[in-house]
Amino acid sequence: MKKLTTALCAVLLMILVLMPGAAAAGPALSATRAYCIIDADTGLVLAQQNMNEELHPASITKVMTLALACEKAQGSWDGVKLTVSHEDVHSLAGTDSSHIALQEGEEVPLTDALYATQMASANDGANLLAEYFGGGTIADGVAKMNAQVRELGLAHTHFANPHGISGDDHYTSCYDMAQILRWALQQPGFETVFTRNEMYTMQPTNLQPVTRYFSQQDKMRIGSSRYHIDGILGSKLGYTNTARYSYACLAEQNGVRLICVTMQSELSTDKYSDVRTLLDDAFATFTGYTELSGSSVTAQLPVAGGGSTLGTVTVADPGTKLLLADGLTAKDVEVSLELPEQYLLGDDPAVYAVYTIRGGTKQESTSVKIPAKISGMADLLAQSTGARLASSGDVEPGRSAWMLAGISLGCTAAAAVVTVLVMRLVNRIRRKKRRRSRPGPRHGN
């Protein structure tokens, strides 16, 4: 019996060792609690450690704050001035937090508020921006931040303020923050602010007669620093006693763009060395994109409109390019489709191709969703607009002329409705294609 038990344990151990994904795909860090590295283009998770653990973010919170301000402005910053409120200043009393000494009633150009929040990590600047994109109070801005979290489908983030001062109800995860930064980089002007290295000058305002100067504080982006890392384009630093050191950056090498987030590094030097370790490993492992051809899987999707089923359209994977670790090929990627039971005309078509990477020990085994390709819609709708309505068959020949005229008008109206729906559908599909692909399901720590 003892020999049998020993044998079974040996077999179980062998299964655990050989099972795909049993070992970590990325470096194991001891001085940094959690990290996540994703492809900036697709959102695909490449390596991680405790990426879903909810931790205090500190000032990397401001990535969301800056992004929402940029989204609202849509690149039109000139001439936009924000007025500092009592709450912007006095809500920070006693916090000993970073600020640029804004004064109640001070009129601050939007551009200055953006660079102050990014480069000087100004908490009063973050409050001012929250009021701007929230349309009222700081609380309105925080509500907008949490609404965007839900829009992105993130499960491990809740914001209690726009600046990152630690609190029990203010948390995020490395995965969530990586995806927030990826979304932020798509907002007009955000990348310009996020990647600025040159000193920024804020001119005197109506209440402040002095000129203020902001310089970026990340030593990993200062060429003369011993901690300098080639390839880091932009970054946001974070620190509180509770959160310890947090970091979010965009890095690029040989055309490969990565987002790296680390949280709860014990010391600043731990952060520097661990970020270097992570980026060196990632750029050595992921050297280029692998092209995946489209239409490898197809399915028929019923289309409904006007209270009846019109027919079906064909849905297929569109093809994409993915970052695969050296040693992996397109054969290590499984493709499937995620479809609703039917597509209702006028709604946003929630159809996706899901690309799942079986990375083993070479790469994080995960997936990414990309809007699928729909074909046959134009032909289906053309047939539908030219067909006789089913209800018209219930009217016997010889009925009064006004009923026939009513049927004719009904057909005409139905055709007009369908035409409008077609135009809306085409516009939505075009917008879908312009969007970047969405990240796939999150995996456990």
Side-chain angles (χ1 to χ4, degrees):
M1 183 66 182
K2 185 176 180 181
K3 291 183 178 179
L4 178 59
T5 302
T6 302
L8 288 174
C9 289
V11 171
L12 179 58
L13 179 61
M14 185 63 68
I15 291 173
L16 291 174
V17 170
L18 296 178
M19 186 168 53
L29 304 181
S30 58
T32 294
R33 175 64 186 172
Y35 73 83
C36 182
I37 301 175
I38 67 171
D39 174 18
D41 290 341
T42 64
L44 181 68
V45 176
L46 305 176
Q48 62 93 12
Q49 175 178 296
N50 302 322
M51 71 175 181
N52 289 329
E53 186 171 349
E54 295 170 357
L55 299 169
H56 297 283
S59 281
I60 61 174
T61 297
K62 295 182 176 83
V63 169
M64 175 66 92
T65 306
L66 290 160
L68 285 170
C70 289
E71 181 192 42
K72 177 170 181 176
Q74 288 296 301
S76 299
W77 300 355
D78 294 342
V80 179
K81 284 193 175 183
L82 313 179
T83 302
V84 179
S85 71
H86 179 86
E87 187 183 16
D88 291 338
V89 178
H90 294 280
S91 64
L92 300 173
T95 62
D96 191 29
S97 61
S98 55
H99 62 85
I100 58 166
L102 293 179
Q103 300 179 40
E104 183 178 350
E106 187 173 358
E107 295 178 357
V108 179
L110 173 61
T111 305
D112 291 352
L114 289 168
Y115 281 105
T117 302
Q118 164 63 23
M119 302 181 74
S121 203
N123 289 349
D124 46 2
N127 282 343
L128 184 60
L129 291 178
E131 290 182 338
Y132 166 65
F133 61 73
T137 65
I138 295 173
D140 293 328
V142 173
K144 184 76 172 178
M145 294 168 71
N146 288 315
Q148 186 60 46
V149 167
R150 293 189 293 272
E151 176 70 21
L152 294 173
L154 305 177
H156 300 287
T157 297
H158 183 269
F159 294 116
N161 61 65
H163 38 66
I165 292 177
S166 295
D168 291 340
D169 203 29
H170 190 85
Y171 55 84
T172 189
S173 68
C174 285
Y175 173 86
D176 285 11
M177 185 52 65
Q179 298 297 347
I180 289 170
L181 177 51
R182 178 171 170 267
W183 170 79
L185 289 165
Q186 300 170 31
Q187 306 315 308
F190 176 89
E191 188 167 344
T192 300
V193 174
F194 192 69
T195 59
R196 185 183 178 99
N197 267 331
E198 299 81 8
M199 181 177 289
Y200 182 86
T201 302
M202 179 178 175
Q203 299 297 331
T205 66
N206 61 318
L207 295 182
Q208 180 58 270
V210 302
T211 300
R212 287 171 270 203
Y213 302 92
F214 312 136
S215 58
Q216 73 91 4
Q217 304 297 313
D218 184 4
K219 293 182 180 179
M220 289 182 278
R221 292 167 56 197
I222 298 174
S224 59
S225 170
R226 58 186 282 197
Y227 301 110
H228 178 258
I229 298 176
D230 289 333
I232 296 182
L233 303 180
S235 59
K236 190 73 193 78
L237 310 171
Y239 173 82
T240 68
N241 286 334
T242 302
R244 305 309 297 165
Y245 292 90
S246 58
Y247 188 72
C249 76
L250 170 68
E252 182 174 357
Q253 183 173 296
N254 297 326
V256 173
R257 282 165 59 96
L258 304 179
I259 289 171
C260 177
V261 176
T262 62
M263 295 181 69
Q264 204 170 301
S265 298
E266 283 302 314
L267 303 173
S268 61
T269 50
D270 295 331
K271 175 187 67 180
Y272 300 142
S273 61
D274 285 346
V275 169
R276 182 181 297 277
T277 296
L278 292 174
L279 291 179
D280 284 350
D281 179 80
F283 283 126
T285 303
F286 302 96
T287 57
Y289 290 88
T290 299
E291 295 284 346
L292 280 77
S293 59
S295 300
S296 61
V297 291
T298 60
Q300 296 299 304
L301 177 64
V303 178
S308 62
T309 300
L310 303 178
T312 62
V313 292
T314 301
V315 180
D317 58 299
T320 188
K321 61 177 185 178
L322 295 177
L323 274 179
L324 300 181
D326 287 348
L328 298 182
T329 68
K331 295 181 179 179
D332 296 301
V333 181
E334 296 179 4
V335 186
S336 60
L337 296 174
E338 184 178 295
L339 309 175
E341 291 185 3
Q342 67 174 8
Y343 169 53
L344 183 63
L345 284 178
D347 289 345
D348 202 9
V351 292
Y352 297 99
V354 182
Y355 296 86
T356 302
I357 292 84
R358 304 301 181 191
T361 60
K362 296 179 179 179
Q363 180 171 346
E364 188 73 15
S365 293
T366 186
S367 61
V368 64
K369 293 198 304 185
I370 294 175
K373 179 176 63 176
I374 300 175
S375 59
M377 182 67 76
D379 291 341
L380 174 63
L381 294 174
Q383 294 171 7
S384 299
T385 55
R388 182 180 62 151
L389 290 181
S391 59
S392 66
D394 299 331
V395 182
E396 296 179 4
R399 294 265 183 114
S400 59
W402 66 267
M403 291 193 66
L404 293 176
I407 293 173
S408 176
L409 289 172
C411 291
T412 302
V417 169
V418 172
T419 300
V420 170
L421 291 175
V422 171
M423 296 301 296
R424 291 179 60 188
L425 173 65
V426 169
N427 288 334
R428 289 188 179 190
I429 291 176
R430 286 176 177 170
R431 289 198 300 270
K432 277 276 188 179
K433 289 182 178 179
R434 287 197 296 265
R435 294 177 189 166
R436 292 180 180 263
S437 58
R438 297 185 179 181
R442 293 173 294 280
H443 291 255
N445 295 328

